[in-house]
Amino acid sequence: RSCMETPFEAIEARNSKGGGKTFNATGCDVNSTSTEGFEAALEAAKKAEYVIFMGGLDATDVEKEGMDRPEIVLPGQQPSLLNKLLSLPHHPKVVLVLIHGGVVTLESSLLDRIPAVISAGYPGFYGASAMAEALLDVSDADLAVNRWGRTPVTWYSHEGWASAAFNMLSFDMAASPGRTHRYYTGAPAYDFGHGLSYARFELAGKAAEEKANGGKSVVKVVVEAVNEDSRREGDVVLLAFVKGKNGTIPASEPAANVKQTLFGFERIGPLSAGAAQTVTFTLNLDGLAQFDKNGMSTVFDGAYEIVVRDGNEGQVVIDNVHCSLEEGCSLTQ
């Protein structure tokens, strides 16, 4: 027997604390054409209210050092099995847990039907117990852990990837429709920094300018996050972006294609129900620097906008920022 706890063992142990029953079946391998396990998986799902689909990639024959994927689709028969699970007459709630390194896509006709998706990475020794504790409430006194992260990459949609004819071996930022959150002009499945929480957080913010070392001004944005849930604690991850307004960066400059730049991020919490906490982001010239057409680092004088997001619907917008090499960053009236 392996000394590592499997996801099934961890989920079964936690579910049994609340009096639940857990069934396990291997529907298909990661990258196989076989559907022999479909029947057993579907029979197990017919007895369940919830289905936790452990899928994704592996680091042996799908992705690893020296092996790049030409496509980013969920491999093998996994999409087919997911479709069958989602089509069961009693409509169990399906949670897709992706074990993976690089991003994975599903056709929107399938992805839109999945109630919840978890990007688990390659979670390591304690990954199974961490997932079980984050997935399941046992009682009002033993709620699921609510400390989710935010995706550090842009998750391109299945349709967007296909229409752009992306090549995994060429990530030319200047090639349409751009790459990464800084340049991509399409509609991703999940934005860079996307992430959800079991609790809802309300954001409020204000900005002020002050002189920094050297006499140049900086803009400080103070954001308050309030956990509006009535019983559940949780973390919130805030990401601070800045972007030049129309005309600030001349169209002849490569930097004109930059949609946004991340200049700060912070995890706060866990915040108990009703609790609040503040965090401060400072925008200075270092956070604004771009490369001009001659390859030199510079700051383009003009108007900028700061947006602080929580990865879901919450955001704070400061749209009256002006920056210049001579003066630094200030607030306009």
Side-chain angles (χ1 to χ4, degrees):
R1 184 181 185 276
S2 171
C3 64
M4 284 188 67
E5 187 178 37
T6 68
F8 169 66
E9 291 170 338
I11 290 167
E12 181 184 42
R14 183 158 177 82
N15 193 30
S16 67
K17 288 183 178 180
K21 295 182 179 180
T22 310
F23 311 96
N24 182 48
T26 301
C28 62
D29 291 332
V30 169
N31 194 25
S32 170
T33 59
S34 174
T35 60
E36 288 184 8
F38 276 26
E39 184 176 351
L42 293 170
E43 285 302 312
K46 288 175 183 178
K47 298 181 285 186
E49 296 177 80
Y50 301 90
V51 173
I52 301 173
F53 185 104
M54 305 293 301
L57 311 176
D58 65 39
T60 55
D61 65 350
V62 177
E63 62 173 2
K64 62 181 179 180
E65 192 69 31
M67 180 185 288
D68 292 311
R69 292 179 293 150
E71 299 290 342
I72 59 173
V73 295
L74 191 63
Q77 293 295 324
Q78 294 182 73
S80 179
L81 179 55
L82 271 169
N83 183 58
K84 290 183 179 295
L85 290 167
L86 291 163
S87 301
L88 287 171
H90 73 300
H91 300 299
K93 293 181 174 63
V94 176
V95 178
L96 170 59
V97 178
L98 291 171
I99 307 296
H100 68 115
V103 298
V104 176
T105 65
L106 289 168
E107 292 185 12
S108 59
S109 59
L110 182 60
L111 184 60
D112 291 346
R113 296 160 57 204
I114 301 174
V117 179
I118 295 172
S119 171
Y122 291 112
F125 191 88
Y126 295 104
S129 59
M131 279 187 279
E133 290 175 5
L135 281 168
L136 302 176
D137 287 342
V138 172
S139 66
D140 286 341
D142 188 4
L143 298 174
V145 175
N146 188 28
R147 306 195 68 186
W148 302 97
R150 300 297 182 266
T151 174
V153 294
T154 299
W155 286 58
Y156 303 100
S157 69
H158 179 86
E159 294 76 13
W161 182 271
S163 66
F166 279 144
N167 180 345
M168 286 288 275
L169 301 180
S170 174
F171 260 55
D172 180 0
M173 299 298 166
S176 178
R179 309 292 193 274
T180 78
H181 74 100
R182 300 192 73 209
Y183 297 95
Y184 184 56
T185 58
Y190 302 110
D191 291 313
F192 169 85
H194 177 80
L196 304 180
S197 170
Y198 294 135
R200 180 180 178 275
F201 292 88
E202 182 70 26
L203 304 185
K206 59 183 179 180
E209 63 179 88
E210 63 181 55
K211 294 290 184 180
N213 292 336
K216 294 185 179 181
S217 297
V218 299
V219 170
K220 290 183 176 284
V221 181
V222 179
V223 179
E224 180 185 62
V226 181
N227 180 0
E228 297 205 327
D229 198 274
S230 61
R231 62 179 187 140
R232 194 183 298 271
E233 71 173 18
D235 286 11
V236 60
V237 179
L238 301 178
L239 299 98
F241 299 90
V242 62
K243 60 181 179 180
K245 290 190 173 183
N246 289 341
T248 292
I249 303 176
S252 59
E253 293 285 350
N257 295 318
V258 175
K259 293 178 55 185
Q260 62 182 14
T261 297
L262 178 73
F263 73 89
F265 61 91
E266 193 77 37
R267 175 188 287 271
I268 57 177
L271 295 178
S272 58
Q277 188 173 333
T278 61
V279 62
T280 300
F281 297 101
T282 301
L283 177 67
N284 54 31
L285 294 183
D286 289 339
L288 277 179
Q290 303 283 357
F291 290 101
D292 65 18
K293 58 188 175 184
N294 297 315
M296 303 299 292
S297 178
T298 188
V299 170
F300 294 95
D301 292 0
Y304 288 85
E305 180 179 88
I306 296 172
V307 181
V308 180
R309 304 190 186 105
D310 66 2
N312 189 13
E313 297 178 351
Q315 67 175 27
V316 170
V317 179
I318 308 297
D319 63 358
N320 60 329
V321 178
H322 186 276
C323 298
S324 70
L325 272 172
E326 294 74 21
E327 301 296 330
C329 295
S330 59
L331 299 173
T332 61
Q333 298 301 317

